[in-house]
Amino acid sequence: MTKSPKRHIAILGSTGSIGTQAVDVVKAHADQFQVEVLTTNNNAELLIQQAIDLQPNVVVICNEDRYNQVFSALDPLGIKVYAGASAIASVVQMDSIDMVLTAMVGYAGLLPTIKAIEAGKSIALANKETLVVAGELITQLAASKGVNIYPVDSEHSAIFQCLVGEFHNPIEKIILTASGGPFRGKDRAFLAGVTKAQALKHPNWTMGAKITIDSATLMNKGLEVIEAKWLFGLSPDQVEVIVHPQSIIHSLVQFEDGSLKAQMGLPDMRLPIQFALGYPNRLRSDFPRFNFLDYPALTFEQPDLKTFRNLQLAFDALDRAGNAPCIINAANEVAVDAFLHDRLGFLDISDVIESCLVTVPFVQNPTYDDYVTTDKETRRIADERIKTLV
């Protein structure tokens, strides 16, 4: 059998939680992948080490103050070094790249993803905010360019895996599973006093700070609901959320005959990363294997939308459509950052998001420029709202 040529990839956000695990996957399959580009926002030390290990063509450090440090370490190795966010949007268009893994956090991932799609690159999407903010624009652009988007989120990867071989069969609905986060079952009186340290202790997954807080508020699941609508071409009423504390069933698809397909496994983000990077092939791994006897009971419950209002706000934004998802994403990013810097209470996060959803001008059919304007205006209004709550 003829061996497939190496897939040349760019890892955007290589020093974050998803990025570092993607680097692990690449190292384990050096015969399958060649890294062309690595980028980070600020972690110069880890970027340098990754570049020494993987020998990419290019690295980008967004923080221009760290450029000299990275340049002096990597230029002698023949690795090109660029700085600034605009450089990322440029390097993803390089001819040598086959696939771009977008693992940047938040709104910052939108423009590089657009530029990569315009250049015809396959996308391994770990930056859910891209589809939350501009789902219609992204999916239409990908279709026009013939670009495939492979989901990396464990839930969306699960849906995608369930659909392989079923793409001709209509979906009745999809069911996204949620762990419930560290505060599952708690009431609002308890949540009013939770600390940053408590919120950063997720029971099942090890993730970056922003997504961990999103999981604690259930906003992460809300963003995934919006992302799923665009990834799989669904209407809002075809997306359901169920709390599954063990995080073994990663999500399910129900077809028109009533049959359900589920994808299961231990919580390990390397698996969906590897599936996206290697698709259509499943690559061998030494990841821990699931044992049913270790999990004699798998349980399920309805999410508490009154206590964890962010999930309801995400459903509301999805129903409203237009730039409403862009509003909740920007407001959430500002509010979570304020919470992480002890400037906002846990329950106040939802208040800030709801306030922005009501206040920021609504645009029914937004262009890219409208998204940029909406994001900027939402962040301004969110900052003002936070000042009144301090």
Side-chain angles (χ1 to χ4, degrees):
M1 185 172 67
T2 304
K3 190 172 183 179
S4 300
K6 286 187 179 183
R7 183 166 288 173
H8 291 245
I9 63 174
I11 303 177
L12 311 187
S14 65
T15 63
S17 176
I18 296 296
T20 53
Q21 292 177 87
V23 167
D24 289 342
V25 168
V26 167
K27 286 181 177 179
H29 297 281
D31 60 327
Q32 299 280 337
F33 304 114
Q34 172 63 46
V35 173
E36 288 291 314
V37 174
L38 295 171
T39 82
T40 188
N41 183 43
N42 196 55
N43 193 339
E45 292 79 10
L46 183 52
L47 178 67
I48 290 167
Q49 187 56 57
Q50 290 176 337
I52 291 171
D53 291 344
L54 296 171
Q55 292 293 303
N57 187 357
V58 171
V59 303
V60 181
I61 177 84
C62 282
N63 184 346
E64 297 183 23
D65 292 339
R66 309 298 295 274
Y67 171 79
N68 288 337
Q69 177 186 355
V70 179
F71 179 83
S72 62
L74 298 182
D75 181 65
L77 302 178
I79 299 172
K80 301 180 187 72
V81 180
Y82 301 109
S86 61
I88 298 178
S90 297
V91 299
V92 295
Q93 302 174 65
M94 288 167 40
D95 290 342
S96 57
I97 296 172
D98 301 314
M99 174 178 277
V100 176
L101 170 62
T102 59
M104 300 169 69
V105 176
Y107 176 82
L110 176 59
L111 183 59
T113 305
I114 288 173
K115 293 301 182 181
I117 294 172
E118 288 177 344
K121 313 302 182 185
S122 295
I123 304 295
L125 187 68
N127 173 260
K128 64 176 62 67
E129 291 86 356
T130 290
L131 286 180
V132 170
V133 170
E136 187 169 13
L137 184 155
I138 292 293
T139 52
Q140 288 179 354
L141 181 61
S144 70
K145 294 292 184 179
V147 165
N148 290 323
I149 299 177
Y150 301 104
V152 171
D153 268 348
S154 63
E155 295 82 1
H156 301 99
S157 175
I159 299 299
F160 181 57
Q161 292 181 59
C162 289
L163 290 175
V164 172
E166 300 274 9
F167 295 118
H168 60 294
N169 287 319
I171 298 171
E172 186 167 286
K173 68 177 178 179
I174 66 170
I175 303 168
L176 299 177
T177 56
S179 70
F183 306 132
R184 181 177 63 88
K186 304 297 185 182
D187 59 19
R188 290 183 65 81
F190 176 88
L191 295 179
V194 301
T195 65
K196 175 175 63 178
Q198 289 174 302
L200 287 170
K201 291 181 180 177
H202 195 280
N204 299 336
W205 298 92
T206 300
M207 304 173 290
K210 194 266 182 183
I211 192 173
T212 303
I213 301 302
D214 282 349
S215 294
T217 67
L218 292 196
M219 178 53 89
N220 189 52
K221 203 55 51 179
L223 299 179
E224 288 175 3
V225 166
I226 299 170
E227 183 183 12
K229 179 256 187 292
W230 293 110
L231 274 173
F232 304 112
L234 305 172
S235 60
D237 61 1
Q238 287 180 289
V239 186
E240 184 178 315
V241 173
I242 195 79
V243 174
H244 168 48
Q246 296 80 23
S247 297
I248 296 301
I249 295 177
H250 297 305
S251 281
L252 309 93
V253 179
Q254 183 167 299
F255 296 96
E256 289 188 325
D257 61 357
S259 177
L260 284 164
K261 288 178 74 173
Q263 189 266 331
M264 302 172 63
L266 294 172
D268 189 333
M269 279 307 301
R270 292 174 299 171
L271 197 153
I273 292 168
Q274 181 170 293
F275 188 78
L277 294 182
Y279 186 83
N281 300 316
R282 287 190 181 272
L283 306 179
R284 184 183 298 275
S285 82
D286 60 359
F287 306 156
R289 266 39 178 181
F290 174 74
N291 183 344
F292 275 97
L293 299 183
D294 293 334
Y295 294 85
L298 300 179
T299 61
F300 307 90
E301 57 197 58
Q302 287 290 337
D304 182 352
L305 299 180
K306 291 184 178 179
T307 301
F308 297 92
R309 294 169 52 224
N310 280 2
L311 180 54
Q312 183 61 60
L313 289 170
F315 274 111
D316 292 345
L318 182 58
D319 286 335
R320 194 178 183 193
N323 67 334
C326 180
I327 294 169
I328 67 162
N329 179 74
N332 181 63
E333 287 189 19
V334 173
V336 168
D337 183 73
F339 174 73
L340 286 170
H341 287 88
D342 303 311
R343 295 174 49 228
L344 196 66
F346 186 81
L347 289 178
D348 293 333
I349 295 173
S350 298
D351 293 336
V352 171
I353 296 168
E354 185 173 36
S355 177
C356 290
L357 201 53
V358 171
T359 307
V360 177
F362 176 69
V363 181
Q364 182 65 62
N365 298 298
T367 63
Y368 174 75
D369 288 340
D370 290 325
Y371 290 127
V372 173
T373 301
T374 297
D375 181 81
K376 184 177 180 179
E377 179 67 4
T378 302
R379 291 173 191 274
R380 183 187 67 78
I381 290 173
D383 276 327
E384 290 180 354
R385 176 64 173 154
I386 288 166
K387 291 173 185 175
T388 70
L389 294 171
V390 174

